[in-house]
Amino acid sequence: MRSAVAFLLFTALAQPLLAQAPASYVLSFPEPQHHWMQVELTLTSLPATPLELHMSRSSPGRYAEHEFAKNVFDVRVTDTAGMVLRATHTTPDVWVVDQHPAAVRVSYRVFGDRTDGTYLSVDPAHAHINMPAALMWARGLEDRAIAVRFQPPASVTWRVATQLFPGSDAQTFTAPNLQYLMDSPTEVSAYSLRTFTVRDGSREPTFRLAIHHDGDEAELDGYARDVEKIVREERGVYGEFAPYDTGTYTFIADYLPWDNGDGMEHRNSTIVTSSSSIRGNRGGLLGTISHEFFHSWNVERIRPKSLEPFNFDDANMSGELWLAEGFTNYYGPLVPERSDPKRLQDFTATLA
C-alpha cells in the first residue's frame, strides 16, 4: 500500500513538471535569396506514446483553410545524438513518430515568398513570418511554454519585431503556449522603429511602430504622429485601452512594391502590408491601421465564443462576423476622420 501511494504521489507531482518542459524553436535563414527558412524544433520529456507532428491548416483571424504543409520539405526527425527516427507522413499535414526517446529534434525547410498576414516571406531584405505558415507543433503538447530563437544571416543587421515575450537576449523570445505563439506574427529585418506612450488611468502602455519600407525618415515621423492620433482617438471609443499582456502593443508594417495588401489583427499586435508607400497612399494605409487597431478590443477581447481556442487543424467557423468585422468596418474609416477633420472628404467617399 505504501508503494502504491508513493507511486501515485510521484505521478501526480511529476505530471505538471513534464507538462512544463518547454518546446524550443530555432529559425534561421541560410539562403534568403531562395525564399526558404530553416526550422529546428527540440522537444524533451516526451511521453512514450507516438509523437504526432502537425503543420497547421488554418491561421488566427482567417476563416478558411490554407494547407500550409504544402510549403514544407526536407523533414527530418532525430534523437539528440543525431540518429534518424522513422517519421511516417500519414496525411499531408501530419507526421507520426511511433518509436522515439524522451527527447527529439525535428528539422525541416519551409518555402515562403508571399508578404501578407497569412503566409511566410523570406528574401534578402527580410523574413516576414506568420507562425502557422511556418511552424510544426506536437499534438498533446499545446500547453507547454515555448522558446523561439531567430538567427538572421551573418551578413545583415536584422532585428526582431514581435508581440512574443522578450527572452534572454535580443534574438530570443518566449510564448506561454501554442495558442499565443501562433497568434504572434514576426518581422525580422532592418526595419525602422518609432515608439510612443499614452497615459490611460493608472496605466501607460507603450506603442511600437515597426515599419519595413523604402521611404525616408521624415515621412515615417509624420506617419507615426498620425498613428498616435488614431490610437488616442480609439481609446475614446472604448473608454480605455485593452489590457495588453506585456504592456506593449506593436504595429508591424511592411510597405514595399512586391508586397500584397493585407491587415490582420492579433492579441497584442497587428500586421499590415501593402505594395503602396506612405508617400503615395498615406490615407489608405492609415485606414488599415485604424481598422486593425480597433480589433484589439473588438474580436481580440470581445469575441465570438466559437473562435477560442483556435483550431489549427480546420476552418474556424463563426456566425458573428457582423459584430467582429461589421462594427470595425464602421469605425475603421471614422476614427481617422475624427483624429484629423481634414480627412472628411475621404470618409464620405468611403461611405458612398
Side-chain angles (χ1 to χ4, degrees):
M1 179 64 75
R2 285 197 208 96
S3 298
V5 171
F7 175 77
L8 291 173
L9 180 60
F10 171 80
T11 302
L13 292 174
Q15 286 300 321
L17 294 176
L18 292 177
Q20 293 172 7
S24 178
Y25 293 88
V26 177
L27 311 184
S28 59
F29 316 93
E31 298 177 353
Q33 70 274 20
H34 294 306
H35 309 293
W36 59 269
M37 179 174 73
Q38 180 73 38
V39 179
E40 295 184 4
L41 166 62
T42 301
L43 298 168
T44 60
S45 301
L46 293 174
T49 54
L51 174 63
E52 196 174 293
L53 300 166
H54 286 238
M55 198 68 190
S56 297
R57 301 180 65 213
S58 58
S59 182
R62 298 303 194 203
Y63 309 99
E65 295 173 353
H66 295 280
E67 306 294 356
F68 296 119
K70 63 181 176 284
N71 291 322
V72 172
F73 60 105
D74 287 356
V75 177
R76 176 183 170 92
V77 183
T78 71
D79 62 17
T80 54
M83 181 177 293
V84 176
L85 305 175
R86 182 181 178 184
T88 304
H89 199 178
T90 57
T91 71
D93 53 294
V94 177
W95 291 256
V96 176
V97 185
D98 288 317
Q99 301 293 327
H100 59 82
V104 303
R105 289 175 180 160
V106 183
S107 67
Y108 61 92
R109 299 179 184 185
V110 54
F111 176 85
D113 67 347
R114 182 178 177 85
T115 303
D116 64 3
T118 304
Y119 288 96
L120 167 73
S121 179
V122 179
D123 59 45
H126 74 161
H128 186 88
I129 308 167
N130 182 42
M131 296 302 179
L135 301 186
M136 280 188 187
W137 48 275
R139 169 71 71 201
L141 308 184
E142 294 93 333
D143 291 332
R144 290 194 179 190
I146 297 163
V148 184
R149 180 167 181 80
F150 300 89
Q151 292 184 343
S155 59
V156 301
T157 56
W158 290 356
R159 297 177 295 160
V160 181
T162 184
Q163 70 170 28
L164 291 168
F165 292 74
S168 57
D169 56 55
Q171 307 300 330
T172 303
F173 297 82
T174 67
N177 50 45
L178 183 73
Q179 287 282 326
Y180 194 88
L181 173 69
M182 291 301 189
D183 192 45
S184 300
T186 300
E187 168 77 17
V188 190
S189 68
Y191 60 83
S192 299
L193 180 67
R194 298 293 185 273
T195 64
F196 58 90
T197 61
V198 180
R199 172 61 62 182
D200 185 29
S202 62
R203 300 179 298 160
E204 191 172 11
T206 296
F207 297 90
R208 299 184 297 196
L209 182 61
I211 296 189
H212 184 213
H213 74 137
D214 55 7
D216 59 39
E217 294 300 294
E219 290 171 349
L220 182 54
D221 288 339
Y223 189 70
R225 288 192 292 270
D226 287 342
V227 171
E228 181 175 352
K229 291 178 183 178
I230 288 171
V231 166
R232 291 177 178 274
E233 194 65 45
E234 289 196 7
R235 181 198 173 280
V237 174
Y238 289 107
E240 62 180 344
F241 290 124
Y244 310 122
D245 296 319
T246 59
T248 302
Y249 186 91
T250 304
F251 296 93
I252 302 173
D254 214 283
Y255 302 146
L256 291 167
W258 55 84
D259 293 349
N260 297 274
D262 201 1
M264 178 48 59
E265 71 278 359
H266 297 274
R267 184 167 176 82
N268 300 301
S269 67
T270 186
I271 197 155
V272 292
T273 62
S274 178
S275 59
S276 60
S277 64
I278 294 173
R279 180 179 302 172
N281 186 29
R282 187 182 189 127
L285 299 180
L286 288 171
T288 304
I289 289 282
S290 175
H291 177 106
E292 300 306 330
F293 184 61
F294 197 84
H295 276 310
S296 65
W297 268 120
N298 190 33
V299 92
E300 285 301 323
R301 271 88 181 175
I302 307 168
R303 61 184 301 155
K305 187 177 181 179
S306 58
L307 293 183
E308 189 177 297
F310 195 85
N311 181 4
F312 300 105
D313 286 323
D314 205 350
N316 285 248
M317 301 296 291
S318 173
E320 292 77 35
L321 290 184
W322 61 270
L323 173 67
E325 294 297 336
F327 280 95
T328 305
N329 278 332
Y330 172 72
Y331 277 101
L334 176 61
V335 167
E337 190 280 324
R338 284 183 175 176
S339 65
D340 182 0
K342 293 180 293 185
R343 293 174 50 85
L344 180 58
Q345 184 175 353
D346 294 337
F347 177 61
T348 53
T350 297
L351 292 183

